[in-house]
Every structure is written in C-alpha cells, then in structure tokens.
C-alpha cells in the first residue's frame, strides 16, 4: 500500500473531486477526445503555479495545446545537437495539429524574468541556478535597454523585462521557417499576452506600437 505524503493526499483529493464532477460532467467530451485532439490554439506560458492557461482562459479539455517553461520562452530555431523540447512541441502543434493561433503569455512577478534582469544567477553551477541562468540568457539583449533606462530593480523595470520577454519569444517564433511561412500565408496568428497577477487582468500586445493593453 502506498503511503501518501500530505502533498499527494491533496492531489488525490482533487483527483476524486475531478472524477465526481469534472469527469462525469464532461464525459461526452472525454469520449470524443479519445479519438484524438484538435486544439486550435497553442499557448506558451510560464511554469509559475499562478498562471495556468487552462484556468485563465476557462477552457475545456482538448481546447488548448500548452507549453510551459521558465519565463514562457521560445528559443530561436536551432538544429544543434540537444534536446529541443519547446521546438518539438512547436513542431507538433503547428505542423501536425495545425493550430491557428499561437499565444505567448508572460506574467507579472515572473521570477525567471527578474533573474534575467538582475543577472543574479550568472555564472552559477547546474543545480545552483546554472540551468536557469543559461535558459534566460535568451533575454540578455532585450535586458540591455531596460537596465540602462529604468534600472534592474523595482516593478517598473521588472514589468518592462516581463513584457520584453514576450516580444523575444515572438521574434524567436518567427525564426522557425514553417512558423514564418504560415504566418505570412495567414494560416497562423502570433499573439503576445501578459497576465498581471495582482489584479488578474490579461493584457494583449499591439505589435505595431509595442504596447500591452487590457483585453
Ligand atoms: Zn514566470
């Protein structure tokens, strides 16, 4: 017999609620989904426990294909040896599932973006922040003007970094040849979004002005 930890016990309690309510109520939907998924949207979000896209967009199972990682980043198109998890998910979503919309959703109080801004993890070893430091190095170029003009501390600078990170991911998405091509053909739309944790307001990016406004 498995002796659950407090954490597992809480998860299992949630699972039982899900079986009672969620599963039964949406039984038909789950049955249909048995044959396969046809989500129309790919969402790239942060792993942060406060910004679950399915919760924020109140969607049903099968509606959104989600990639979550530290700071909601899409790396550039790279074909070097390595395990390219985000690229694999992107390839599957765009080429196989043929999603029509890709949403990059950054968020307020993002620890990954803050570390990119302060550079506090730079030079640390794997296990001591080194993996995070390597990952968020992607934001170094976008950080420069923010650090210069606003500084590296305080919410104003942090928010600027969080929103710039969304733009970095959008730019990197467009380095994938098939994403660029499909966007040109209007087969897929790329969208920048930002979820402000404190007030729960979703903002959308207007790429022409570079400004985020409440949705
Ligand atoms: Zn985050």
């Amino acid at each position: 017999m498995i002796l659950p930890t407090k954490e597992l016990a809480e998860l299992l309690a949630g699972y039982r609620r899900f079986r009672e309510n969620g599963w039964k109520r949406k039984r038909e939907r789950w049955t249909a989904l048995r044959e396969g998924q046809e989500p129309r949207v790919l969402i790239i979000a942060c792993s942060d426990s406060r910004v679950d896209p399915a919760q924020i967009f109140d969607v049903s199972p099968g509606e959104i294909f989600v990639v979550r990682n530290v700071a909601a980043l899409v790396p550039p198109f790279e074909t070097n040896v390595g395990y390219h998890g985000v690229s694999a998910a992107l390839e599957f979503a765009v080429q196989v599932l043929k999603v029509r919309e890709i949403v990059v959703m950054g968020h307020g109080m993002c620890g990954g973006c803050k570390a990119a801004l302060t550079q506090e993890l730079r030079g640390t070893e794997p296990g001591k922040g080194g993996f995070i430091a390597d990952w968020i190095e992607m934001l170094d170029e976008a950080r420069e003007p923010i650090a210069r003009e606003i500084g590296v501390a305080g919410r104003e600078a942090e928010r600027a970094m969080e929103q710039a990170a969304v733009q970095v991911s959008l730019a990197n998405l467009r380095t994938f040849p098939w994403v660029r091509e499909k966007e040109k053909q209007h087969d897929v739309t790329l969208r920048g979004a930002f979820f402000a944790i404190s007030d729960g307001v979703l903002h959308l990016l207007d790429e022409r002005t570079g400004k985020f406004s409440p949705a």
Side-chain angles (χ1 to χ4, degrees):
M1 167 147 171
I2 294 172
L3 275 182
T5 53
K6 184 170 168 284
E7 288 75 19
L8 179 61
E10 280 171 14
L11 287 179
L12 292 177
Y15 164 67
R16 298 212 162 86
R17 287 193 300 275
F18 160 72
R19 288 286 300 180
E20 265 314 299
N21 307 313
W23 171 262
K24 280 188 186 148
R25 208 174 48 234
K26 293 186 172 158
R27 188 63 194 265
E28 233 167 76
R29 178 146 186 89
W30 289 102
T31 306
L33 286 170
R34 206 170 47 187
E35 308 302 326
Q37 56 168 340
E38 283 178 30
R40 312 262 296 159
V41 180
L42 163 65
I43 298 185
I44 293 137
C46 185
S47 297
D48 190 296
S49 59
R50 299 164 292 184
V51 289
D52 177 0
Q55 203 166 43
I56 292 169
F57 296 108
D58 190 27
V59 290
S60 295
E63 286 189 312
I64 55 172
F65 191 83
V66 179
V67 178
R68 295 178 73 176
N69 61 46
V70 171
L73 296 178
V74 176
F77 178 73
E78 287 175 331
T79 54
N80 58 321
V81 177
Y83 297 113
H84 300 286
V86 177
S87 307
L90 182 64
E91 183 177 69
F92 187 68
V94 173
Q95 300 292 77
V96 181
L97 296 173
K98 302 191 183 340
V99 296
R100 304 279 305 163
E101 184 105 9
I102 304 177
V103 180
V104 176
M105 184 176 72
H107 72 95
M109 317 299 283
C110 181
C113 289
K114 190 176 180 186
L117 188 62
T118 60
Q119 303 273 289
E120 63 200 284
L121 298 175
R122 173 142 291 190
T124 54
E125 286 172 33
K128 294 187 171 157
F131 278 107
I132 301 170
D134 278 356
W135 178 245
I136 58 177
E137 216 178 73
M138 252 185 269
L139 299 177
D140 278 0
E141 216 181 290
R143 169 192 180 269
E144 283 312 310
I146 298 167
R148 203 172 48 237
E149 288 155 31
I150 317 178
V152 298
R155 272 310 292 156
E156 193 195 347
E158 285 164 17
R159 181 174 279 224
M161 186 75 255
E162 289 154 2
Q163 298 191 337
V166 172
Q167 287 165 303
V168 168
S169 285
L170 287 172
N172 285 346
L173 274 170
R174 294 184 174 113
T175 64
F176 287 77
W178 64 86
V179 174
R180 199 166 53 231
E181 189 54 31
K182 289 200 171 182
E183 187 183 32
K184 211 170 81 189
Q185 303 294 332
H186 304 289
D187 287 331
V188 75
T189 304
L190 272 53
R191 198 85 63 184
F194 177 84
F195 182 73
I197 284 185
S198 50
D199 55 10
V201 174
L202 182 78
H203 294 67
L204 291 176
L205 169 65
D206 180 341
E207 286 201 81
R208 287 164 311 173
T209 62
K211 297 256 176 296
F212 285 79
S213 332

